[in-house]
Amino acid sequence: MSHIEVELKLAAQTAAIEPVRQFLSTLAHQHIEPKKLTNIYFDSEDRLLRQWDMGLRIRGCDGHYEMTIKTAGQVIGGLHQRPEYNVDIDVPELNLAAFPTEIWPEGTDMQQLQSQLHILFSTHFMREKWLVTFEDSEIEIVFDQGEISAGARELPIQEFELELKQGFVADVLNLAKKLADIDGLRLSSASKAARGYSLMQTEEAPLQQPETIFDYEQLPIEQALLHIQQLCQQHEAYWLADETAAREGFDVFLRFVQAFLVHYRNSAPQFIQDIPLDQLRADLADESLSAEAFCYSSRWLKCKLAFTQWLIALKYTDIH
């Protein structure tokens, strides 16, 4: 079975978890009690699946197993869209022949590929679910809490995911904007698999200081907005890593965003014009405010969601 997975990930601080739960309880919903999930991820020594932008896993829950492969997709400001193929299996063993042959690069020798695959890392977490009816859509919200493990190395998992089950992408964003009233949430563009691969690196690649300006007048507006989204993520990561001059660079970038919005003031939707950039710059100027407090703030999340909503409205049609 295959479908286009459309989801939005929100990394969560501990203080935000209960307020999110309370908000979800006010919606028309079906609640599913937490269950323990284990996921095992596979690739070859030369990371062939990673090169093909594929992710392969086996998920186990209550003695049931599912083999899943996600193929090349796109991430727009935390909104993930990827083709996904799922196959129920009786035992936690790979069987690549169960997937459609057309998903593989031409000429792939399936038996040889399967023989090259081995376990890279695993994830272990509790998953709680809410299936909600919101506006004109059915959206599944899950809360995952646990860890990613690769040998002795671990990374924590603490995130909410909003996945469109039926309806419109715009409704996923509108629901996220409601959640953005709560401090302690941050848009996340990194999947669990991507974070797992990062654990496999023998040493961390040094972060490069992100650019603060670019010539947006030479780009179609969709490309310029996508670049701004990418820079938002890069400036966050750079500041959260406590890099030198990260706060100052972030402020220059926000002034650039203000200039960008002035340039497009006649075409930008009202929700973009309402972004409180002056307040965000005032937050940055407060030396007592940490990178984590700013990047997980309600105000900053609303700003990023607004840009994602504008880009989606310009470039993509709703998915039913």
Side-chain angles (χ1 to χ4, degrees), residues 248-266:
E248 292 80 0
F250 214 142
D251 182 62
V252 174
F253 170 62
L254 288 186
R255 281 192 277 122
F256 166 78
V257 173
Q258 284 182 309
F260 174 86
L261 293 183
V262 169
H263 181 78
Y264 284 105
R265 62 183 175 275
N266 294 327

Side-chain angles (χ1 to χ4, degrees), residues 41 50 121 148 155 189-199 201:
Y41 290 81
R50 187 69 169 164
F121 54 88
I148 305 168
L155 284 172
S189 59
S191 66
K192 294 181 182 70
R195 297 181 69 209
Y197 274 104
S198 73
L199 281 179
Q201 298 174 1

